[in-house]
Amino acid sequence: MTSNAVPECLIDGQPANQVRVTDRGLNYGDGLFETLRVSQGSIALIDYHLARLQRGIQALRLQADIELIAEEWRDLAARMGAGVIKLTLTRGSGQRGYAIPADARTVRIQQCFPPANYPAAHAREGIRLFSCATRLAHQPLLAGIKHLNRLEQVLARSEWDDPQYAEGLVCDFQGLVVECTMSNLFARQDGIWLTPSLAQCGVRGVMREYLMNEMRAHGEQVEEVELQHSALLNASELFCCNSLFGVWPIIALDRHQWPVGPHSRYAQALAEQVIK
């Protein structure tokens, strides 16, 4: 890549915008993705993204060059200045059937987008959560990684179109709180931050990982737990987070309301340190 122009899409390092109809990502969701925030020519939380990508590659037994991916990310970020990069890795083309081809060749897709445009009021005033009926199934082999099978999230997000709701709460079939449709969740109770365990399902968001590490480093107690819905409702503060928007305080779910508290503001300040 020698031109200073930012490509809309690269496939295996070359400008392109099409994959083969036999691609296993298209046919089976056989692959991974990462969505990265670019600001001031650099990628927020790049080491966290690379660590999660490596976990996903190992879980799915994909062949991929992590160093090459990181090099492409940094080059694109420097040329973009600000925006969003989405990496998609698929297992490549194959014949009909689930069996992994012996000669499978991973396809690497890098897409470049303008900066995400979320209302500033979400961070300033907090958001209302929609209570989703869609439940997440347990699959420990896939828990935590950003695999391409996102139909549960698609269905959950399709449950509302009312702009008063910025996010939706998603539980598993046992009724345990897991996450929101595009972000992770933290609840403060008795002076401790609780975040749902993601051992069975859900995505280990990079902002979640960063905040857990930073809050613990600053003396906060943070625990990963099987979060009951009743415990969520009894929390003193709530927030959701991801690597694009940072932290949004949660002020309402159904008939329950919460203040935008000082501890959520502190988490927000930690997030803003890396998503300037």
Side-chain angles (χ1 to χ4, degrees), residues 9-168:
C9 182
L10 296 173
I11 298 180
D12 293 335
Q14 300 299 316
N17 59 13
Q18 296 179 351
V19 296
R20 299 177 65 179
V21 295
T22 53
D23 191 279
R24 291 177 62 89
L26 172 64
N27 285 284
Y28 305 121
D30 190 357
L32 302 166
F33 74 103
E34 290 285 331
T35 307
L36 308 100
R37 178 180 173 125
V38 177
S39 58
Q40 300 180 16
S42 63
I43 296 170
L45 302 173
I46 186 171
D47 291 339
Y48 286 86
H49 281 288
L50 289 169
R52 182 175 60 189
L53 181 62
Q54 183 64 60
R55 292 194 301 269
I57 286 170
Q58 292 174 348
L60 297 189
R61 301 193 299 279
L62 289 171
Q63 300 295 320
D65 187 335
I66 290 286
E67 292 184 2
L68 175 60
I69 290 169
E71 181 183 347
E72 282 187 340
W73 281 352
R74 293 187 175 99
D75 179 73
L76 288 170
R79 293 157 65 185
M80 293 170 68
V84 175
I85 298 172
K86 181 177 180 181
L87 165 74
T88 304
L89 294 180
T90 82
R91 205 180 300 273
S93 292
Q95 301 300 313
R96 187 184 64 81
Y98 295 136
I100 296 175
D103 59 349
R105 187 182 67 82
T106 302
V107 173
R108 186 179 73 258
I109 303 167
Q110 304 270 24
Q111 295 174 272
C112 299
F113 299 93
N117 185 23
Y118 296 109
H122 290 355
R124 184 178 64 249
E125 300 170 11
I127 66 165
R128 300 179 63 89
L129 280 187
F130 182 86
S131 186
C132 296
T134 302
R135 295 290 181 258
L136 299 183
H138 286 187
Q139 178 44 273
L141 292 176
L142 300 177
I145 66 175
K146 293 203 79 171
H147 56 79
L148 295 180
N149 295 270
R150 295 291 118 196
L151 280 177
E152 292 171 327
Q153 286 74 20
V154 169
L155 292 174
R157 183 59 186 87
S158 72
E159 291 184 34
W160 84 92
D161 59 11
D162 188 334
Q164 73 170 305
Y165 301 108
E167 252 288 37

Side-chain angles (χ1 to χ4, degrees), residues 165-208:
Y165 301 108
E167 252 288 37
L169 179 70
V170 188
C171 299
D172 66 10
F173 279 93
Q174 296 176 341
L176 296 171
V177 174
V178 179
E179 59 191 3
C180 298
T181 63
M182 64 173 180
S183 59
N184 291 116
L185 186 76
F186 285 78
R188 190 167 183 85
Q189 191 173 60
D190 299 326
I192 299 172
W193 280 116
L194 306 177
T195 191
S197 168
L198 303 175
Q200 302 296 325
C201 57
V203 174
R204 286 175 59 180
V206 298
M207 182 59 74
R208 173 185 182 269

